[in-house]
Amino acid sequence: MTEQDFIPKAYTELISNGKTSWKSPSNIALVKYWGKRKGQIPANPSISFTLDNCKTTTSLTFSKLTEPNSNFSFDIFLEGNKKDHFKPKIATFFERIYKYLPFLSEYHFTIETSNSFPHSSGIASSASGMSALALCLIEVEKQLNPEMGDEFFARKASFLSRLGSGSASRSIEGPLVQWGEHASIQGSSDLVGIKYPYQVHEVFRTYCDSILLVDKGQKQVSSTVGHDLMHNHPFAEQRFEQAHENLSKLKVIFAEGDLREFIKIVESEALTLHAMMMTSHPYFILMKPNTLEIINRIWAFREQSKTHVCFTLDAGANVHVLYPESEKTEIDQFIKNELVAYCENGQYICDQIGLGAKKA
Ligand code: PMV
């Protein structure tokens, strides 16, 4: 597979206007993507659980322009409100994908988007947001070229999503999606996320993720800046190698369902991600005191309850509490009794592993 495969030949249909709508989920990485090369190529492979409840719904209305406009003509609305300050980000995305979707200059687009999770919850909306938009766009292309098959549709949706936000490439399908070349994962690619192709023990098919909203404020350092700081990072090479090794170890763990080993990899990945932030130049810390309180309480509760609760972190202060569905009652109670006190306004979101994006 190369980038050339995603450049379309001439379209067969002429369409003057229409509307497409998609609902796409967020995802939570188990092996983290942190560091990239030019063209949104990941510095190391990653794998994630696709989520189910944390979603973006996007509708795209399109109407043919009288003259093509290579500066792109579009408006964007979030929860019904016009958001002109999002336009530069979308314009950059359109520039990046124009080569692969040449119809972009020929239509005016109205993008209407809304999230299922609270506004500014600190939950990364880029994965669900960019993938929902990419899906709407590829659906326009499918209308212009109805020959397109389902497999190519999903692959190109992931390819386009990646160009919007790397982790968005892992939101199209589920329940487990792998992105980035890895020697022992057949079909793995730096260009697209693929459905994890090997055996997965049933315990992982219904895994739960309760997202504790520790800090809903704006991040001090964006993930774009964070990725960049992996260039010339003193530990970059060891880190990238470690991600390959952790993915190899997970392959065995996914097949056997060994939760103790799963926890070791997942928690270490989360802490390593933040260790990279703390050891870059300039260095920074995205965890908050309550993030550490929660982690310590999870460790103490796991020891005492003999359950398999564990945590992972994104590039922020919020904590994703992961556990098998069979322990849900006990862990829910633990969250209510001990962890909610550390969440901003007591807010958290109960989610679980999902199967990917759907037409809205
Ligand atoms: O997709 P981006 O560029 O926002 O990067 C996200 C990186 C992490 O969420 C920290 C890790 C990951 O693999 O999702």
Side-chain angles (χ1 to χ4, degrees):
M1 191 192 319
T2 70
E3 275 139 342
Q4 293 299 110
D5 300 345
F6 299 101
I7 298 177
K9 300 195 187 76
Y11 296 128
T12 56
E13 304 294 309
L14 286 169
I15 292 176
S16 56
N17 56 65
K19 186 173 179 179
T20 58
S21 298
W22 279 83
K23 219 179 244 235
S24 191
S26 189
N27 66 73
I28 180 67
L30 305 170
V31 171
K32 309 287 179 182
Y33 146 61
W34 198 241
K36 62 179 164 187
R37 303 199 302 272
K38 207 168 161 276
Q40 299 276 99
I41 298 300
N44 65 259
S46 58
I47 192 160
S48 50
F49 278 152
T50 303
L51 296 180
D52 200 29
N53 298 333
C54 289
K55 283 185 179 139
T56 298
T57 305
T58 297
S59 296
L60 182 75
T61 312
F62 55 100
S63 54
K64 192 99 171 173
L65 296 165
T66 40
E67 292 279 313
N69 177 354
S70 56
N71 290 322
F72 311 115
S73 171
F74 65 92
D75 289 309
I76 176 149
F77 296 82
L78 174 67
E79 262 112 47
N81 301 311
K82 199 155 187 263
K83 294 281 174 189
D84 283 342
H85 65 278
F86 287 171
K87 284 183 103 170
K89 198 171 176 190
I90 302 298
T92 306
F93 178 49
F94 279 13
E95 274 157 33
R96 279 193 201 153
I97 61 176
Y98 183 34
K99 196 168 143 190
Y100 307 104
L101 297 177
F103 67 81
L104 281 180
S105 58
E106 299 191 10
Y107 293 90
H108 174 78
F109 298 98
T110 303
I111 304 163
E112 290 166 283
T113 187
S114 63
N115 294 323
S116 66
F117 40 89
H119 189 50
S120 4
S121 55
I123 293 191
S125 56
S126 65
S128 54
M130 282 300 177
S131 55
L133 178 56
L135 282 154
C136 289
L137 290 167
I138 186 72
E139 177 143 359
V140 178
E141 181 159 275
K142 192 176 157 76
Q143 292 182 12
L144 296 167
N145 192 359
E147 304 281 87
M148 188 188 296
D150 289 349
E151 203 180 309
F152 183 80
F153 183 98
R155 205 179 309 147
K156 186 159 174 179
S158 173
F159 176 86
L160 297 170
S161 302
R162 184 193 102 245
L163 293 172
S165 162
S167 57
S169 68
R170 299 187 311 240
S171 277
I172 307 300
E173 295 176 291
L176 265 173
V177 177
Q178 193 277 329
W179 168 47
E181 272 177 44
H182 185 275
S184 60
I185 300 185
Q186 221 188 349
S188 60
S189 163
D190 285 344
L191 300 181
V192 297
I194 59 163
K195 232 166 132 165
Y196 177 71
Y198 301 109
Q199 198 194 333
V200 178
H201 190 278
E202 63 178 338
V203 71
F204 294 115
R205 295 203 200 126
T206 52
Y207 233 68
C208 299
D209 179 5
S210 294
I211 309 161
L212 309 186
L213 307 181
V214 171
D215 183 55
K216 303 195 283 163
Q218 184 82 19
K219 275 191 272 180
Q220 304 114 305
V221 181
S222 71
S223 62
T224 310
V225 172
H227 285 293
D228 259 2
L229 291 172
M230 288 305 281
H231 293 292
N232 305 318
H233 190 291
F235 307 128
E237 287 317 309
Q238 293 97 309
R239 160 59 198 154
F240 300 149
E241 211 175 293
Q242 178 198 44
H244 283 266
E245 285 161 15
N246 281 344
L247 206 43
S248 298
K249 288 183 190 158
L250 272 184
K251 204 175 152 184
V252 180
I253 294 166
F254 284 142
E256 293 177 353
D258 185 339
L259 295 185
R260 294 280 156 213
E261 290 304 309
F262 175 75
I263 291 170
K264 280 189 211 161
I265 304 277
V266 169
E267 292 191 343
S268 165
E269 275 288 324
L271 294 179
T272 302
L273 169 70
H274 285 258
M276 290 299 113
M277 300 173 191
M278 289 190 240
T279 48
S280 62
H281 296 288
Y283 41 80
F284 58 104
I285 301 180
L286 295 184
M287 289 188 283
K288 297 282 179 195
N290 283 353
T291 312
L292 297 181
E293 281 291 345
I294 291 169
I295 291 174
N296 279 306
R297 284 183 178 261
I298 288 174
W299 284 341
F301 181 79
R302 184 164 76 222
E303 178 62 33
Q304 167 238 310
S305 65
K306 306 289 171 223
T307 57
H308 299 88
V309 61
C310 77
F311 73 87
T312 187
L313 306 167
D314 255 340
N318 296 335
V319 182
H320 288 249
V321 184
L322 301 177
Y323 48 94
E325 198 191 17
S326 59
E327 297 174 1
K328 191 171 170 52
T329 313
E330 207 173 348
I331 308 297
D332 261 351
Q333 205 52 52
F334 160 61
I335 292 173
K336 287 194 186 108
N337 293 348
E338 287 200 42
L339 304 184
V340 162
Y342 299 103
C343 299
E344 205 174 323
N345 305 325
Q347 271 188 299
Y348 68 103
I349 298 169
C350 289
D351 210 337
Q352 69 262 333
I353 201 160
L355 295 177
K358 286 196 186 78
K359 247 176 152 156

